[in-house]
Amino acid sequence: MLVSEFDYTLPENLIAQTPSDKRENSKMLVLNRESHTLSHKHFYDIVDLIDDEHILILNNTKVIPARLYGYKDTGAKIEVFLLKEKENHEWEVLIKPSKRVKSGTIVKISEELSVEILYPLEDDGKWRVKMLYQGNILDILHKVGNIPLPPYIERKMTNEELKKLDFERYQTVYAKDEGSVAAPTAGLHFTQDILKKLEQKGVKIGYVTLNVGIGTFRPVKCENVLDHKMDSESFEISKETAELINNAKAENKKLIAVGTTTVRTLETAFKQFGCIKECKSASELFIYPPYEFQVVDKLITNFHLPKSTLLMLVSALAGKDFIFEAYKEAIKNNYRFYSYGDCMFIN
């Protein structure tokens, strides 16, 4: 299977640059796989489409202010993009422009934080650095860091109101465990009111945590799908969530995953352990057609970039031809695409 088979043309004006006025007002394209039909809804209609024969599993990871701007002692501006925390205050990062730094370079972010460049890694442009600070690093990042919006959101972040908006809206309302450099964007449409209404209908809701890495932004560079390797992302499933899923499956209830990260968490756990159980592990699972899903029955997801692993995953669940039919319909009806865009419900 070739990566080019998952390409499509998207008018640039359909790439959402800001979130919708209200989370729940996003459009939602519903894909009915049984009847092979498409219907146009809004996300607030999800309450009418889910009942107590379903369980809902969401990824409660929280985005950290991972984009840092600082200066060398020469005055040269350097961007440090935090990827993954290691031991002894060390992190894996991306650096831009990387040609301006070398081992031993100090990048001053603020009076509270500097970054010492240690050495380049062999892994696709990443560096190992040491964070120089006193106190709690997350507290400091919330003071001096920036929300790491995807590269296709091109508006300039000089407007403080927009910056404040991103700190609020590029998080799910149930975000809890900090560690991601990208939001699990399918969850951005939920409100506490919608979650409450679903619970009142008898829908059981559970949470997993998968810390989304930079791989979600990176294009697939090879032409043969089989040659692509996924970045490793850590995940955790609690005992409570594992029991919820296992009990639901025993009762033949349908599991709705919110977002591709939730799908990869659950399918990875089943692949690793042969069941869903309390665990902490990491996922490198690459899901593409054909794939036999073991845990996930239905999916709420945003619209994804051409030739991306996320587009391949949803194609594995709904069928590539049906997905591309849905994308064509979404473009025709001016749906907003990508992180701040509209969504689909694969039913």
Side-chain angles (χ1 to χ4, degrees):
M1 183 171 287
L2 302 179
V3 173
S4 55
E5 295 177 44
F6 295 89
D7 197 10
Y8 68 92
T9 300
L10 180 70
E12 195 171 319
N13 67 298
L14 296 185
I15 301 175
Q17 297 295 312
T18 56
S20 59
D21 57 342
K22 293 183 178 179
R23 292 177 184 267
E24 68 274 26
N25 284 355
S26 296
K27 294 180 184 178
M28 179 173 65
L29 186 62
V30 180
L31 285 67
N32 188 312
R33 287 174 289 171
E34 187 174 339
S35 62
H36 198 89
T37 55
L38 302 170
S39 56
H40 299 280
K41 303 284 185 180
H42 287 88
F43 189 74
Y44 50 73
D45 295 316
I46 197 70
V47 175
D48 300 323
L49 300 176
I50 301 176
D51 56 28
D52 59 3
E53 291 303 307
H54 299 88
I55 65 167
L56 192 68
I57 306 298
L58 309 97
N59 181 6
N60 65 4
T61 190
K62 192 170 186 177
V63 182
I64 62 172
R67 180 168 274 130
L68 305 173
Y69 297 106
Y71 296 89
K72 292 168 48 178
D73 55 9
T74 61
K77 187 175 182 180
I78 303 293
E79 177 186 322
V80 179
F81 191 115
L82 304 178
L83 299 179
K84 189 179 296 185
E85 187 174 12
K86 310 302 279 189
E87 64 281 348
N88 300 321
H89 293 194
E90 294 183 8
W91 289 67
E92 288 182 8
V93 305
L94 296 176
I95 296 175
K96 191 165 67 175
S98 59
K99 292 180 180 179
R100 291 188 178 180
V101 301
K102 59 183 179 180
S103 297
T105 298
I106 302 294
V107 179
K108 184 174 181 179
I109 307 299
S110 71
E111 292 300 324
E112 297 175 274
L113 177 65
S114 292
V115 179
E116 180 185 358
I117 311 300
L118 298 180
Y119 52 85
L121 301 172
E122 295 180 1
D123 188 7
D124 202 14
K126 297 175 184 176
W127 290 72
R128 186 79 166 233
V129 304
K130 188 175 185 71
M131 307 286 274
L132 307 175
Y133 64 93
Q134 297 290 329
N136 183 291
I137 184 59
L138 288 176
D139 289 343
I140 295 172
L141 291 179
H142 278 282
K143 292 180 183 177
V144 303
N146 295 270
I147 290 294
L149 295 175
Y152 46 75
I153 296 179
E154 297 178 337
R155 53 187 166 80
K156 301 299 182 183
M157 291 307 299
T158 53
N159 187 315
E160 285 302 315
E161 289 187 5
L162 281 176
K163 187 173 180 179
K164 183 179 179 181
L165 177 71
D166 290 324
F167 265 93
E168 177 189 348
R169 293 294 300 275
Y170 199 62
Q171 301 278 17
T172 63
V173 297
Y174 48 83
K176 180 181 177 183
D177 297 315
E178 291 188 294
S180 284
V181 300
T185 55
L188 296 180
H189 310 282
F190 281 88
T191 64
Q192 292 293 357
D193 183 57
I194 285 177
L195 292 170
K196 184 178 179 180
K197 286 179 178 178
L198 289 172
E199 288 181 325
Q200 288 172 344
K201 289 186 69 176
V203 178
K204 300 293 186 183
I205 300 174
Y207 298 90
V208 297
T209 304
L210 180 138
N211 290 323
V212 188
I214 194 66
T216 193
F217 294 152
R218 288 189 160 175
V220 179
K221 295 180 179 179
C222 52
E223 177 57 7
N224 189 327
V225 169
L226 298 178
D227 293 334
H228 179 70
K229 185 178 184 302
M230 298 287 286
D231 280 3
S232 178
E233 295 172 315
S234 61
F235 71 83
E236 182 174 353
I237 300 175
S238 67
K239 181 180 179 181
E240 181 182 29
T241 295
E243 289 178 351
L244 169 63
I245 293 171
N246 291 327
N247 291 338
K249 288 294 183 180
E251 297 170 4
N252 291 318
K253 292 187 176 183
K254 298 296 184 182
L255 187 151
I256 302 172
V258 178
T260 57
T261 58
T262 302
V263 174
R264 291 182 60 241
T265 298
L266 299 176
E267 295 294 325
T268 297
F270 193 93
K271 197 176 186 70
Q272 290 179 353
F273 308 114
C275 63
I276 298 299
K277 68 176 187 178
E278 179 182 10
C279 60
K280 289 184 180 181
S281 189
S283 176
E284 295 179 359
L285 181 61
F286 183 14
I287 297 176
Y288 54 88
Y291 178 86
E292 185 176 347
F293 289 83
Q294 301 294 329
V295 186
V296 174
D297 299 299
K298 303 181 180 185
L299 174 63
I300 296 169
T301 185
N302 277 24
F303 293 93
H304 304 297
L305 276 73
K307 299 194 287 189
S308 65
T309 61
L310 308 181
L311 182 56
M312 295 174 198
L313 185 152
V314 297
S315 296
L317 183 63
K320 177 176 172 293
D321 290 343
F322 195 23
I323 285 293
F324 273 73
E325 182 183 331
Y327 273 52
K328 185 176 181 180
E329 178 73 6
I331 292 170
K332 176 183 174 183
N333 286 274
N334 293 314
Y335 275 62
R336 287 153 40 91
F337 276 60
Y338 307 160
S339 291
Y340 271 152
D342 298 314
C343 66
M344 59 167 54
F345 178 29
I346 301 175
N347 199 357

